[in-house]
């Protein structure tokens, strides 16, 4: 294996000191034109590449921002990453994107990796409902911002959507369409978003004079299409089947839609379906999916901006104040929920 070229090799080839090579790289205007040209020629000839990690260790400031999400297979989190990347690039930073796969152990491993790499800061959608991973990471004094989550006891910045309002939007729409028995395909119960969307759904039922028994919850272990298909099969097996389903995200809703299609159950005539997130696939489904839209790209960008604001604090800059930004969801109505009862 070829040995990498170091700054000493460049200095030797150019006949100058290591300090002169460093100045050419970092402060080129401080070096005479002829000397600078000789050093640059040596760099080009030898193929020298500056060690960014070493530079970061000397400067104490990384140019990398960590992003740890629940599921990169979910287009919602892809959009969050797009927003974060745009904001980071404007500031001259890169983003290291990692996927916890909704697993607390994976999350802990990636947070340790971020600490080892001394990233500038971390954007995090927690998988660990206990908060232990965050508590352990906090000891490294690396700033972080919660994305798509507000957690009790966390004072750091966060950017989220009002999921209680989103759940209410979905179920109020179904109630207005005449539905009086609604399934909630809810996802893992440990996730705050799942609980908040259920709270909103119950609020909407109460507002319509309906009790909590009008909502029949079908929990799933994951928030993906396969889990939605499984929930759809369970829904089909219910003796007194609900006439509508509200799903905690669009992937679950697409899975339920697939299960209904395979069983010959019409959507929306036999079962109305509402999802959550409004991912790109929602509008392109066989039956275009009604969904509660979250501004995912905006969420990622705002979270990155909050992190940059905190990490750029210094002399002459006002002290950073942690903030909780709560965005509002929007109901996007499509054919999957339009049939009346």
């Amino acid at each position: 294996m070829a040995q990498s070229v170091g700054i000493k090799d460049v200095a030797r080839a150019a006949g100058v000191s290591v300090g002169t090579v460093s100045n050419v790289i970092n402060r080129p205007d401080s070096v005479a034109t002829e000397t600078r040209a000789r050093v640059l020629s040596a760099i080009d000839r030898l193929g020298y590449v500056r060690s960014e990690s070493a530079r970061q260790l000397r400067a104490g400031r990384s140019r990398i921002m960590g992003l740890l999400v629940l599921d990169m297979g979910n287009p919602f989190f892809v959009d969050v990453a797009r927003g974060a990347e745009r904001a980071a690039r404007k500031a001259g930073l890169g983003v290291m994107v990692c996927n916890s796969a909704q697993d607390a152990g994976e999350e802990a491993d990636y947070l340790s990796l971020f600490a080892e790499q001394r990233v500038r800061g971390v954007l995090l959608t927690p998988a660990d409902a206990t908060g232990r991973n965050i508590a352990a990471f906090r000891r490294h004094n690396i700033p972080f911002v919660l994305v798509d989550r507000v957690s009790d006891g966390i004072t750091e910045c966060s950017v989220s959507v009002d999921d209680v309002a989103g759940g209410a939007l979905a179920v109020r729409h179904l109630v207005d369409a005449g539905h009086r028995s609604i399934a909630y395909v809810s996802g893992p119960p440990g996730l705050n978003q799942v609980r908040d969307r259920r709270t909103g759904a119950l609020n909407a039922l109460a507002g319509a004079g309906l009790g909590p028994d009008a909502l029949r919850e079908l929990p799933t272990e994951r928030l993906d299409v396969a889990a939605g298909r499984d929930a759809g099969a369970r829904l089909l097996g219910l003796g007194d089947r609900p006439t509508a389903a509200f799903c905690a995200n669009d992937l679950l809703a697409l899975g339920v839609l697939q299960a209904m299609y395979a069983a010959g159950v019409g959507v929306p005539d036999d079962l109305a379906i509402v999802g959550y997130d409004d991912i790109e696939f929602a509008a392109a489904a066989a039956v275009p999916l009604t969904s509660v839209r979250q501004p995912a790209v905006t969420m990622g960008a705002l979270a990155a901006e909050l992190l940059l604001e905190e990490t750029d604090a210094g002399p002459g800059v006002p002290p950073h104040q942690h903030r909780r930004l709560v965005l509002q969801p929007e109901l996007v109505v499509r054919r999957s929920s339009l049939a009346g009862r």
Side-chain angles (χ1 to χ4, degrees):
M1 180 180 294
Q3 188 173 1
S4 62
V5 176
I7 193 170
K8 291 181 180 179
D9 299 310
V10 175
R12 189 180 303 112
V16 298
S17 68
V18 169
T20 298
V21 177
S22 178
N23 284 337
V24 169
I25 295 170
N26 297 297
R27 295 176 296 278
D29 292 341
S30 68
V31 182
T33 302
E34 182 181 346
T35 302
R36 185 168 69 242
R38 194 162 70 249
V39 170
L40 291 174
S41 175
I43 287 174
D44 183 61
R45 187 169 67 255
L46 297 176
Y48 169 75
V49 177
R50 178 172 63 172
S51 172
E52 179 63 17
S53 59
R55 187 195 70 80
Q56 290 175 183
L57 287 173
R58 289 192 299 271
R61 288 175 64 78
S62 171
R63 293 180 57 243
I64 298 297
M65 178 186 299
L67 171 63
L68 181 56
V69 299
L70 288 178
D71 181 11
M72 279 305 293
N74 186 339
F76 167 76
F77 288 111
V78 175
D79 286 343
V80 169
R82 284 173 49 214
E85 184 182 31
R86 287 177 187 175
R89 284 179 63 84
K90 286 181 181 178
L93 273 64
V95 178
M96 180 191 300
V97 181
C98 298
N99 175 28
S100 71
Q102 303 175 45
D103 183 273
E106 291 284 330
E107 176 180 88
D109 290 343
Y110 278 123
L111 289 175
S112 294
L113 175 64
F114 289 151
E116 291 170 6
Q117 295 297 316
R118 302 188 188 186
V119 296
R120 175 75 65 93
V122 174
L123 308 179
L124 170 65
T125 304
D128 176 26
T130 70
R132 285 192 290 266
N133 285 344
I134 289 178
F137 184 70
R138 192 183 277 117
R139 295 199 298 266
H140 298 290
N141 294 317
I142 296 175
F144 66 88
V145 175
L146 297 188
V147 185
D148 191 35
R149 180 74 58 86
V150 175
S151 296
D152 295 335
I154 301 296
T155 60
E156 284 82 0
C157 288
S158 64
V159 183
S160 61
V161 166
D162 187 341
D163 283 313
V164 174
L169 281 174
V171 171
R172 191 178 302 120
H173 167 68
L174 292 171
V175 169
D176 289 345
H179 298 282
R180 296 296 179 265
S181 179
I182 300 169
Y184 177 40
V185 181
S186 61
L191 294 180
N192 287 359
Q193 297 97 319
V194 167
R195 294 196 299 268
D196 287 348
R197 291 165 197 178
R198 180 179 184 273
T199 297
L202 292 173
N203 289 348
L205 291 174
L210 299 171
D213 57 346
L215 191 72
R216 302 178 66 176
E217 187 165 359
L218 295 172
T220 64
E221 292 185 358
R222 302 187 66 79
L223 291 163
D224 55 25
V225 174
R229 284 195 298 266
D230 174 72
R234 284 183 280 147
L235 177 59
L236 288 169
L238 294 177
D240 184 16
R241 194 167 72 209
T243 60
F246 167 43
C247 303
N249 78 356
D250 285 341
L251 296 183
L252 290 173
L254 291 171
V256 171
L257 178 61
Q258 289 179 6
M260 296 304 110
Y261 181 81
V265 174
V267 175
D269 294 328
D270 299 316
L271 182 79
I273 301 176
V274 176
Y276 206 104
D277 291 339
D278 195 35
I279 62 175
E280 184 177 356
F281 298 146
V287 179
L289 185 66
T290 294
S291 185
V292 178
R293 175 178 294 164
Q294 296 199 82
V297 174
T298 299
M299 193 183 304
L302 288 174
E305 288 166 6
L306 284 175
L307 189 61
L308 290 167
E309 179 184 297
E310 181 173 0
T311 59
D312 286 344
V317 178
H320 173 75
Q321 299 293 324
H322 289 316
R323 287 179 285 160
R324 287 188 173 186
L325 303 183
V326 181
L327 309 180
Q328 291 303 307
E330 173 190 358
L331 181 69
V332 180
V333 178
R334 300 190 180 95
R335 190 155 59 90
S336 71
S337 66
L338 284 180
R341 303 301 302 176

